Amino acid sequence: MRNYVIAIVVFLCAGCVTQPRPEATLFQRIGGMPMLSRLSNQTLDIVSKDPRTSRSFDGVKMKTLKESVTNFLCVKTGGNCVYEGETMKKSHADLHNTVAEFEIMVDVLRERMDANGVGTKEKNELLKILAPMKHDVVTN
C-alpha cells in the first residue's frame, strides 16, 4: 500500500512540473511593433535631414519607407509580419552609399535605441542581425 501511495504522489507531482517557457523573441523583448515603428521613424527622420546622408532620401516617400523599414525589422526580429519590399542589395543599388553614410545610420539607430530604453542585449542582437547587410547597402 505504501508503494502505491508513493507512486500516486510521484505521478501527481510530475504534473506539477512546468515546462520551461521558450525565450521571447527579439521582437517581443524589444517592444514589438510600437518600438520598431518608433525606432524606424526617429532614425529615418534624423538621417533624412542630416546633410551627410540626406541625398539618399531625395524623392523618397518617407511614410512608405518608414512602414517598410518597420516591417523589415519586424521580420528580422522574429515578429509575425510581412515585408514586401525589395532586397537590401536591390533597394540600395543605385544610391552609391558610402561606408561613412552606413556608419552614420548605424550610429543614429544605436542612439535612438539608447534614448528609447532598448536593453543592451536586445540592441546588440539587432545590430548583429543588421551588420551583414552592410555589404548590400554600401556600394562606394
Side-chain angles (χ1 to χ4, degrees), residues 17-108:
V17 176
T18 60
Q19 295 296 320
R21 288 190 293 163
E23 184 177 342
T25 64
L26 176 55
F27 174 79
Q28 293 164 325
R29 291 182 285 120
I30 210 165
M33 285 302 277
M35 180 59 76
L36 293 178
S37 180
R38 187 175 316 132
L39 293 173
S40 296
N41 291 345
Q42 291 175 0
T43 300
L44 290 168
D45 283 344
I46 292 168
V47 296
S48 67
K49 293 175 183 135
D50 186 319
R52 301 171 297 169
T53 53
S54 62
R55 68 169 188 84
S56 295
F57 301 94
D58 288 343
V60 172
K61 295 178 182 172
M62 291 306 290
K63 182 176 186 259
T64 302
L65 178 61
K66 289 174 182 180
E67 290 170 2
S68 183
V69 170
T70 299
N71 286 330
F72 178 80
L73 292 175
C74 176
V75 168
K76 290 297 182 182
T77 59
N80 188 19
C81 305
V82 175
Y83 172 70
E84 296 176 341
E86 298 287 348
T87 65
M88 288 299 105
K89 189 171 192 86
K90 189 170 183 178
S91 64
H92 293 86
D94 296 332
L95 296 177
H96 307 291
N97 289 322
T98 65
V99 171
E101 289 170 316
F102 181 83
E103 289 174 355
I104 290 167
M105 179 97 168
V106 171
D107 287 344
V108 170

Side-chain angles (χ1 to χ4, degrees), residues 103-116:
E103 289 174 355
I104 290 167
M105 179 97 168
V106 171
D107 287 344
V108 170
L109 176 60
R110 183 181 291 120
E111 189 276 327
R112 296 320 311 153
M113 286 192 283
D114 288 341
N116 284 284

Side-chain angles (χ1 to χ4, degrees), residues 110-126:
R110 183 181 291 120
E111 189 276 327
R112 296 320 311 153
M113 286 192 283
D114 288 341
N116 284 284
V118 173
T120 300
K121 178 181 178 185
E122 290 74 21
K123 178 172 63 172
N124 289 338
E125 283 181 50
L126 181 57

